[in-house]
Amino acid sequence: MTPTIKRLIFFTIVIALWESGFRLNLWNSVFFPGASQVLDSLVTGFQDKTLIYALEASFQRLLLGLGIALILGTSLGILLAKSKTADDTLGSLILAFQSVPSIVWLPLAALWFGLNTTAIIFIVVLGGTFVMTLNIRTGVKNVSPLYIRAAQTMGVKGIDLFIRVIFPASIPYVVTGARLAWAFAWRALMAGELLSTGPGLGYTLRFASDYNNMALVVGVMIIIGVIGAIADQLVFQRIEKSVMKRWGLNS
């Protein structure tokens, strides 16, 4: 039995038990709706395009914020890896910021930009930048000196050495950093949108909660989880496995 079939059977059983419990009145549906109620709310949300607009707004912020985070994180990571002074000073600051949840920047972001899309993108950028920086730094620093000496023996030096040897050798860390940056940025986006004035998935979740529409709350939670799982397992995890295999780091 393949893992996909196992998962399908598992989730079918979970949904069947969930709906059975609801129909048998094992709990109050006001506090936790049934699977059929959640499905109805999702169908309604997609039919009236509420969820489509929310998804569109969230993905626009995510793609822009994550793109900036990957570029900024890669640049900072290379700087920290190649400059001991930068590593000793800026590196310690980035390590400290890494431990601070990006959502706590929201009050400052709201003050600087207003409680709008720019503030949310700022939160997303912070969510992804630091983890990307630290992975790039580690990747460049861990390139085998054997590769560097061999390239230098063949006359490869300076920026050419970095582009042709050091950066390609650190690609596994780049992929892992991008995967982690995506996860941190996605969480930061949802947290930021929860406190925003909309639109977006996080705002839709808060709006539904304010109007006691728990079926839509659970529906949006499912959408957030499904998107996260698809992006991680079907995109980043596959890329990471492929790179690890190509670089001889995995069987």
Side-chain angles (χ1 to χ4, degrees), residues 109-132:
L111 182 65
W112 294 340
F113 310 110
L115 197 55
N116 52 29
T117 296
T118 306
I120 297 174
I121 292 174
F122 178 74
I123 299 299
V124 174
V125 170
L126 289 179
T129 297
F130 301 130
V131 67
M132 187 66 183

Side-chain angles (χ1 to χ4, degrees), residues 9-241:
I9 293 173
F10 171 74
F11 284 112
T12 301
I13 292 172
V14 169
I15 293 171
L17 290 174
W18 176 12
E19 182 64 14
S20 300
F22 161 69
R23 292 184 181 278
L24 292 172
N25 294 318
L26 296 182
W27 59 78
N28 190 337
S29 63
V30 173
F31 298 110
F32 190 65
S36 57
Q37 290 179 304
V38 173
L39 179 62
D40 288 341
S41 72
L42 288 176
V43 171
T44 302
F46 280 108
Q47 283 179 339
D48 63 18
K49 298 185 178 178
T50 302
L51 291 174
I52 293 176
Y53 292 140
L55 280 166
E56 185 180 0
S58 292
F59 272 107
Q60 284 178 350
R61 292 166 180 155
L62 177 70
L63 292 177
L64 182 57
L66 183 59
I68 295 172
L70 294 179
I71 294 170
L72 193 59
T74 301
S75 304
L76 286 172
I78 293 170
L79 175 65
L80 298 187
K82 303 306 290 184
S83 168
K84 189 173 187 310
T85 302
D87 196 25
D88 291 339
T89 54
L90 181 61
S92 58
L93 185 64
I94 288 177
L95 273 174
F97 282 159
Q98 167 63 18
S99 62
V100 178
S102 56
I103 190 60
V104 303
W105 286 86
L106 189 61
L108 282 176
L111 182 65
W112 294 340
F113 310 110
L115 197 55
N116 52 29
T117 296
T118 306
I120 297 174
I121 292 174
F122 178 74
I123 299 299
V124 174
V125 170
L126 289 179
T129 297
F130 301 130
V131 67
M132 187 66 183
T133 299
L134 296 176
N135 270 274
I136 295 293
R137 171 186 173 275
T138 305
V140 173
K141 275 181 169 287
N142 280 282
V143 173
S144 172
L146 191 63
Y147 297 159
I148 297 174
R149 284 199 295 271
Q152 288 173 333
T153 302
M154 291 185 283
V156 181
K157 296 179 181 177
I159 189 67
D160 203 27
L161 175 68
F162 181 82
I163 293 173
R164 296 175 62 182
V165 178
I166 297 176
F167 191 74
S170 62
I171 286 296
Y173 289 89
V174 176
V175 175
T176 301
R179 183 184 175 192
L180 293 173
W182 139 259
F184 279 76
W186 181 239
R187 293 170 192 169
L189 174 68
M190 291 301 110
E193 286 185 347
L194 270 173
L195 302 174
S196 76
T197 56
L201 278 179
Y203 172 76
T204 304
L205 193 150
R206 198 197 72 199
F207 183 83
S209 173
D210 290 344
Y211 284 88
N212 207 28
N213 186 353
M214 291 302 118
L216 185 56
V217 168
V218 176
V220 173
M221 289 171 63
I222 291 173
I223 291 174
I224 294 170
V226 168
I227 292 173
I230 289 174
D232 185 74
Q233 295 189 17
L234 297 186
V235 180
F236 288 103
Q237 204 172 94
R238 289 191 176 186
I239 294 173
E240 189 177 54
K241 284 182 180 177

